[in-house]
Amino acid sequence: KLSPPFRIAPDTPFNQILVPTTDTVRYGYLMSTLMHAGWHVMLTGDVGVGKSSIITSTLGLLGESFLSTTINFSARTKSTRVSDDIEAKVEKRTKDTWAPPGGKKLVVFIDDFNMPEKEVFFAQPPLEILRQWMQYSFWYDLKKQTQKFVKDTQLVAGLGHPGGGRTAISARTTHCFHVLNLAFPAASQVRKIFGTLINSHLVHFGEDVKSAGDLIVSATYEIYLKMCSDLLPTPDKPHYTFNLR
């Protein structure tokens, strides 16, 4: 359920602002429910629709029984970096078992999940080690060649649709997740999001300036739609593809 009219706290860093809309509340609730039930969650959608913001906000509201960490993937990410980053957040319980400290659950948020480049056999090693762990609960210690079980840990993956350096991931990896697709927000939601941002900035200006906030948003959004429809990339004139960012 949406709360009363949203107001941004004065000292909130810009990159931590999430204006609640019907979609952000809906997807946040679904993700929270799935994570409390122990599911691995994948949130996909177009660039700039707020996937990372929704995930980060949801992780912050899970409660004291959860820990979270973030790993950003790139084309050069290696499988060893993935296992090392996760192992740094867990502690040894038994001879071959690791788990988060304090009896808590660890949620690992992986941003740009489909960015790692494919190797000669078209596999993505960082994704394959995670797929193996999600299916069998372990990966191998590369020095001792023994199994290392990682317990009480789950993944949340954020990724854009294939294209622009983002690859299509294998079905055997996808099937390990509960997949949610974040649709492009409706025009009314876009105006609400950016209207809230600019009006909160103009709150200390004069009345003649305050009243221009919604007009600026409407004009900017119309220009954005016009550019998306008219300035399309072509093979001989490729250029930046416009999105909400």
Side-chain angles (χ1 to χ4, degrees):
K1 183 178 179 180
L2 282 174
S3 58
F6 176 73
R7 294 183 180 276
I8 301 172
D11 299 329
T12 306
F14 186 79
N15 64 337
Q16 296 180 14
I17 297 174
L18 177 64
V19 179
T21 66
T22 303
D23 282 341
T24 62
V25 173
R26 179 187 294 124
Y27 285 102
Y29 173 79
L30 288 173
M31 288 182 57
S32 178
T33 302
L34 290 167
M35 284 188 276
H36 277 95
W39 286 88
H40 304 294
V41 182
M42 176 183 292
L43 185 61
T44 182
D46 288 330
V47 175
V49 296
K51 300 182 297 295
S52 299
S53 297
I54 293 174
I55 293 173
T56 302
S57 176
T58 303
L59 293 180
L61 299 174
L62 286 178
E64 297 182 356
S65 61
F66 285 84
L67 300 173
S68 64
T69 186
T70 300
I71 302 175
N72 293 291
F73 275 6
S74 70
R76 298 296 181 182
T77 300
K78 304 298 183 184
S79 59
T80 51
R81 183 211 158 186
V82 177
S83 57
D84 289 345
D85 284 355
I86 295 178
E87 288 176 16
K89 300 296 181 180
V90 295
E91 60 184 16
K92 192 171 184 178
R93 290 272 183 89
T94 62
K95 177 182 178 181
D96 59 356
T97 303
W98 279 254
K104 298 184 178 183
K105 292 184 178 180
L106 175 65
V107 179
V108 181
F109 168 35
I110 300 181
D111 205 3
D112 291 325
F113 188 71
N114 56 344
M115 282 296 289
E117 64 181 358
K118 295 185 178 182
E119 39 95 278
V120 64
F121 298 108
F122 303 103
Q124 294 168 282
L127 274 60
E128 288 302 318
I129 191 173
L130 292 172
R131 189 269 314 160
Q132 174 185 318
W133 167 75
M134 286 187 285
Q135 288 185 305
Y136 304 109
S137 300
F138 74 88
W139 51 61
Y140 284 97
D141 186 314
L142 297 182
K143 295 181 180 179
K144 301 179 181 178
Q145 285 78 53
T146 56
Q147 295 175 341
K148 300 181 75 171
F149 291 87
V150 180
K151 302 292 187 179
D152 298 328
T153 303
Q154 58 197 102
L155 297 184
V156 177
L159 66 157
H161 296 154
R166 299 173 183 81
T167 59
I169 65 177
S170 67
R172 57 192 255 167
T173 299
T174 305
H175 97 278
C176 297
F177 291 91
H178 189 106
V179 182
L180 301 174
N181 180 63
L182 183 56
F184 192 87
S188 59
Q189 295 188 8
V190 173
R191 289 189 172 92
K192 177 184 177 181
I193 293 169
F194 290 101
T196 301
L197 294 174
I198 193 168
N199 287 328
S200 67
H201 178 71
L202 298 178
V203 69
H204 299 297
F205 287 71
E207 292 299 326
D208 55 335
V209 177
K210 287 182 183 179
S211 61
D214 292 334
L215 295 176
I216 294 173
V217 172
S218 295
T220 305
Y221 186 56
E222 289 181 13
I223 293 173
Y224 162 73
L225 293 177
K226 188 68 173 175
M227 289 190 299
C228 289
S229 62
D230 292 357
L231 299 181
L232 299 175
T234 61
D236 60 330
K237 292 184 179 180
H239 59 77
Y240 186 77
T241 302
F242 303 101
N243 59 60
L244 285 182
R245 288 178 181 172

